[in-house]
Short mmCIF file of all heavy atoms in Angstrom, two decimals:
data_model
loop_
_atom_site.label_atom_id
_atom_site.label_comp_id
_atom_site.label_asym_id
_atom_site.label_seq_id
_atom_site.Cartn_x
_atom_site.Cartn_y
_atom_site.Cartn_z
N GLY A 79 -102.77 177.97 -180.68
CA GLY A 79 -103.73 178.49 -179.61
C GLY A 79 -105.26 178.34 -179.91
O GLY A 79 -106.04 178.52 -179.08
N GLU A 80 -105.56 177.91 -181.16
CA GLU A 80 -106.97 177.75 -181.56
C GLU A 80 -107.41 176.45 -181.22
O GLU A 80 -106.64 175.50 -181.19
CB GLU A 80 -107.15 178.09 -183.01
CG GLU A 80 -107.04 179.55 -183.40
CD GLU A 80 -107.39 179.84 -184.83
OE1 GLU A 80 -107.34 178.95 -185.68
OE2 GLU A 80 -107.62 181.08 -185.11
N SER A 81 -108.68 176.25 -181.08
CA SER A 81 -109.28 174.89 -180.98
C SER A 81 -110.54 174.67 -181.79
O SER A 81 -111.16 175.70 -182.27
CB SER A 81 -109.65 174.69 -179.50
OG SER A 81 -110.56 175.58 -179.02
N HIS A 82 -110.93 173.43 -181.97
CA HIS A 82 -112.10 173.16 -182.73
C HIS A 82 -112.89 171.99 -181.93
O HIS A 82 -112.15 171.00 -181.53
CB HIS A 82 -111.79 172.56 -184.12
CG HIS A 82 -112.99 172.17 -184.94
ND1 HIS A 82 -113.91 173.04 -185.53
CD2 HIS A 82 -113.45 170.90 -185.13
CE1 HIS A 82 -114.83 172.28 -186.23
NE2 HIS A 82 -114.57 171.03 -185.99
N THR A 83 -114.12 172.23 -181.70
CA THR A 83 -114.89 171.29 -180.94
C THR A 83 -116.17 170.84 -181.81
O THR A 83 -116.75 171.66 -182.49
CB THR A 83 -115.51 171.93 -179.62
OG1 THR A 83 -114.35 172.41 -178.82
CG2 THR A 83 -116.36 170.95 -178.79
N TYR A 84 -116.44 169.51 -181.73
CA TYR A 84 -117.52 169.03 -182.50
C TYR A 84 -118.05 167.87 -181.70
O TYR A 84 -117.48 167.31 -180.81
CB TYR A 84 -117.12 168.46 -183.80
CG TYR A 84 -116.27 167.28 -183.95
CD1 TYR A 84 -116.85 165.96 -184.10
CD2 TYR A 84 -114.87 167.28 -183.87
CE1 TYR A 84 -116.19 164.89 -184.23
CE2 TYR A 84 -114.20 166.19 -183.89
CZ TYR A 84 -114.81 164.91 -184.05
OH TYR A 84 -114.08 163.73 -184.01
N THR A 85 -119.37 167.48 -181.93
CA THR A 85 -119.98 166.41 -181.35
C THR A 85 -120.45 165.43 -182.41
O THR A 85 -120.81 165.86 -183.58
CB THR A 85 -121.31 166.88 -180.55
OG1 THR A 85 -122.17 167.53 -181.46
CG2 THR A 85 -120.87 167.69 -179.45
N SER A 86 -120.43 164.22 -182.03
CA SER A 86 -121.01 163.08 -182.93
C SER A 86 -121.42 161.99 -182.12
O SER A 86 -121.47 162.10 -180.83
CB SER A 86 -119.71 162.55 -183.81
OG SER A 86 -120.22 161.87 -184.84
N GLY A 87 -121.65 160.80 -182.69
CA GLY A 87 -122.21 159.70 -181.88
C GLY A 87 -122.04 158.39 -182.63
O GLY A 87 -121.53 158.28 -183.82
N CYS A 88 -122.49 157.28 -181.83
CA CYS A 88 -122.30 156.01 -182.52
C CYS A 88 -123.32 155.13 -181.73
O CYS A 88 -123.98 155.37 -180.78
CB CYS A 88 -120.92 155.36 -182.32
SG CYS A 88 -120.57 155.03 -180.55
N LEU A 89 -123.67 153.96 -182.47
CA LEU A 89 -124.58 153.08 -181.92
C LEU A 89 -123.86 151.72 -181.63
O LEU A 89 -122.97 151.36 -182.42
CB LEU A 89 -125.67 152.69 -182.95
CG LEU A 89 -126.60 153.78 -183.28
CD1 LEU A 89 -127.55 153.38 -184.43
CD2 LEU A 89 -127.49 154.27 -182.14
N LEU A 90 -124.13 151.00 -180.45
CA LEU A 90 -123.57 149.85 -180.05
C LEU A 90 -124.69 148.86 -179.91
O LEU A 90 -125.87 149.29 -179.61
CB LEU A 90 -122.75 149.89 -178.81
CG LEU A 90 -121.63 150.88 -178.76
CD1 LEU A 90 -120.96 150.78 -177.41
CD2 LEU A 90 -120.58 150.54 -179.78
N THR A 91 -124.43 147.55 -179.93
CA THR A 91 -125.40 146.52 -179.73
C THR A 91 -125.32 146.05 -178.26
O THR A 91 -125.96 145.08 -177.92
CB THR A 91 -125.17 145.36 -180.65
OG1 THR A 91 -123.84 144.86 -180.55
CG2 THR A 91 -125.39 145.75 -182.10
N SER A 92 -124.43 146.61 -177.46
CA SER A 92 -124.37 146.33 -176.01
C SER A 92 -124.30 147.72 -175.29
O SER A 92 -123.86 148.69 -175.85
CB SER A 92 -123.19 145.34 -175.70
OG SER A 92 -122.02 146.01 -175.77
N PRO A 93 -124.54 147.64 -173.92
CA PRO A 93 -124.48 148.93 -173.13
C PRO A 93 -123.05 149.31 -172.90
O PRO A 93 -122.85 150.34 -172.22
CB PRO A 93 -125.22 148.60 -171.96
CG PRO A 93 -125.23 147.16 -171.78
CD PRO A 93 -125.02 146.51 -173.19
N PHE A 94 -121.94 148.49 -173.35
CA PHE A 94 -120.70 148.95 -172.97
C PHE A 94 -119.83 148.84 -174.31
O PHE A 94 -120.03 148.11 -175.14
CB PHE A 94 -119.97 147.95 -172.02
CG PHE A 94 -120.64 147.88 -170.72
CD1 PHE A 94 -121.37 146.83 -170.31
CD2 PHE A 94 -120.37 148.90 -169.81
CE1 PHE A 94 -121.95 146.80 -169.09
CE2 PHE A 94 -120.97 148.92 -168.51
CZ PHE A 94 -121.71 147.86 -168.15
N GLY A 95 -118.82 149.77 -174.40
CA GLY A 95 -117.92 149.70 -175.48
C GLY A 95 -116.83 150.67 -175.32
O GLY A 95 -116.68 151.31 -174.28
N ALA A 96 -116.05 150.94 -176.39
CA ALA A 96 -114.95 151.98 -176.37
C ALA A 96 -114.62 152.36 -177.91
O ALA A 96 -115.09 151.76 -178.76
CB ALA A 96 -113.72 151.31 -175.79
N MET A 97 -114.04 153.54 -177.92
CA MET A 97 -113.50 154.02 -179.18
C MET A 97 -112.13 154.53 -179.10
O MET A 97 -111.73 154.94 -177.97
CB MET A 97 -114.44 155.19 -179.78
CG MET A 97 -115.88 154.80 -180.03
SD MET A 97 -116.96 156.23 -180.51
CE MET A 97 -116.12 156.81 -182.07
N GLN A 98 -111.37 154.43 -180.28
CA GLN A 98 -110.02 154.86 -180.17
C GLN A 98 -109.82 155.23 -181.88
O GLN A 98 -110.46 154.79 -182.60
CB GLN A 98 -108.93 154.00 -179.62
CG GLN A 98 -108.87 152.71 -180.60
CD GLN A 98 -107.83 151.71 -179.92
OE1 GLN A 98 -107.85 151.53 -178.78
NE2 GLN A 98 -107.10 151.09 -180.80
N GLY A 99 -108.72 155.95 -182.04
CA GLY A 99 -108.41 156.21 -183.30
C GLY A 99 -107.21 157.26 -183.47
O GLY A 99 -106.51 157.51 -182.62
N HIS A 100 -107.38 157.88 -184.67
CA HIS A 100 -106.39 159.01 -184.91
C HIS A 100 -106.93 159.89 -185.98
O HIS A 100 -107.83 159.69 -186.74
CB HIS A 100 -104.97 158.48 -185.37
CG HIS A 100 -105.03 157.75 -186.77
ND1 HIS A 100 -105.13 156.45 -186.80
CD2 HIS A 100 -104.93 158.26 -188.03
CE1 HIS A 100 -105.17 156.14 -188.15
NE2 HIS A 100 -104.98 157.19 -188.81
N TYR A 101 -106.41 161.15 -186.00
CA TYR A 101 -106.68 162.12 -186.97
C TYR A 101 -105.48 162.24 -187.78
O TYR A 101 -104.29 162.14 -187.33
CB TYR A 101 -106.98 163.48 -186.40
CG TYR A 101 -108.28 163.59 -185.63
CD1 TYR A 101 -108.13 164.01 -184.18
CD2 TYR A 101 -109.55 163.24 -186.10
CE1 TYR A 101 -109.31 163.97 -183.49
CE2 TYR A 101 -110.59 163.31 -185.34
CZ TYR A 101 -110.58 163.69 -183.94
OH TYR A 101 -111.75 163.75 -183.26
#
Side-chain angles (χ1 to χ4, degrees):
E80 290 185 340
S81 65
H82 177 77
T83 300
Y84 72 95
T85 57
S86 191
C88 68
L89 296 175
L90 299 181
T91 55
S92 72
F94 298 105
M97 291 178 66
Q98 68 181 43
H100 66 266
Y101 296 122

